[in-house]
């Protein structure tokens, strides 16, 4: 159907080959757009897969990545045709692995993280061109890299949490950051304190990002943010101790529970 394999017939894959399928097809079937992992590519270990991943849409363009067993990573973009499916940037093989990970749309750009020897794992942005693919900011200066989590998009900007170790004395610090896709516009909004733990569980609603913090003094609490310092507020203390937070979601009326 529509230029791909014959309807009802699945063309066999050769070793190391991966297909990218178009998101829609006029005749109702799927079609192969382009081979992005060429035949002959070394197969990964049994416990690790090799396939396109991390699909993110940015104003009509879909970005995705292929992370190879040798540590190399390639960022791709497509608009659903073979001609529009092209490599944006290839990062050479190395160890530790590049681990390129698309995070979120940022206006007309894509926010992603990747490891480089110069900066460690840090946030990058791309507009889909080689020249427009660059390090956003070395948030943690040097080669250490930045631990980012819970990315939320707010129009043409995004917020994320940074967890870092403060060494004098050793303790964990959690910070809320915001970025507009420029180095100057990537800045800390709120320092949420030391000896703090940010739970992995969170809930994003239309107007707010709900998250959970705990520390030895205040126990476990629910917070909310809109990605700004003024919009980051304590909601309620949930427990006097540091307890795990599990099974978080929203009810039919939009309440967090």
């Amino acid at each position: 159907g529509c230029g791909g394999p014959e309807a009802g017939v699945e063309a066999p894959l050769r070793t190391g080959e991966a297909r990218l399928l178009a998101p829609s097809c006029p005749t109702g079937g799927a079609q192969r757009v382009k081979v992005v992992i060429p035949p002959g590519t070394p197969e990964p270990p049994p416990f690790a897969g090799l396939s396109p991943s991390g699909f993110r849409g940015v104003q009509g363009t879909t970005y995705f990545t292929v992370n190879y067993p040798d540590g190399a990573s390639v960022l791709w973009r497509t608009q659903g045709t073979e001609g529009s499916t092209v490599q944006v940037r290839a990062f050479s093989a190395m160890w530790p692995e590049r681990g390129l990970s698309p995070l979120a749309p940022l206006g007309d750009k894509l926010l992603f993280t990747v490891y480089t020897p110069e900066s460690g794992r840090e946030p990058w942005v791309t507009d889909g061109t080689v020249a427009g693919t660059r390090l956003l900011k070395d948030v943690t200066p040097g080669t250490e890299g930045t631990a980012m989590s819970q990315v939320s998009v707010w129009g043409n900007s995004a917020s994320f949490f940074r967890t870092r170790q403060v060494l004098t004395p050793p303790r964990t610090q959690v910070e809320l950051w915001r970025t507009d896709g420029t180095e100057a516009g990537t800045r800390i909004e709120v320092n949420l304190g030391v000896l703090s733990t940010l739970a992995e569980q969170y809930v994003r609603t239309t107007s707010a990002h709900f998250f959970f913090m705990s520390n030895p003094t205040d126990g476990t609490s629910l917070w909310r943010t809109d990605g700004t310092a003024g919009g980051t507020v304590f909601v309620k203390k949930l427990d006097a101790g540091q307890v795990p937070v599990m099974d978080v979601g929203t009810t039919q009326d939009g309440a967090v529970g």
Side-chain angles (χ1 to χ4, degrees), residues 118-204:
E118 299 79 16
S119 304
R121 182 172 302 283
E122 290 288 354
W124 285 56
V125 290
T126 183
D127 62 3
T129 67
V130 175
T133 303
R134 59 177 176 78
L135 174 69
L136 173 59
K137 187 184 182 77
D138 193 1
V139 176
T140 304
T143 61
E144 180 181 351
T146 297
M148 294 172 56
S149 62
Q150 300 190 25
V151 177
S152 272
V153 177
W154 312 94
N156 291 327
S157 65
S159 64
F160 61 89
F161 289 93
R162 173 200 189 200
T163 302
R164 70 187 186 101
Q165 295 297 314
V166 181
L167 298 179
T168 311
R171 58 201 190 278
T172 301
Q173 181 167 295
V174 179
E175 303 163 353
L176 176 70
W177 284 64
R178 188 179 181 96
T179 181
D180 63 1
T182 67
E183 182 176 8
T186 303
R187 62 187 184 276
I188 185 172
E189 288 284 332
V190 184
N191 182 344
L192 291 160
V194 297
L195 297 178
S196 298
T197 300
L198 175 68
E200 292 184 5
Q201 302 286 342
Y202 66 92
V203 172
R204 173 62 198 267

Side-chain angles (χ1 to χ4, degrees), residues 3 15 22 31 38 40 53-54 58 112 117-118 134-135 144 161 166 170 177 187 225 228 233 236 251:
T15 301
Q31 86 181 98
S53 62
V58 181
F112 67 96
E118 299 79 16
R134 59 177 176 78
L135 174 69
E144 180 181 351
F161 289 93
V166 181
W177 284 64
R187 62 187 184 276
T225 184
T228 67
V233 296
K236 187 173 183 177
T251 62

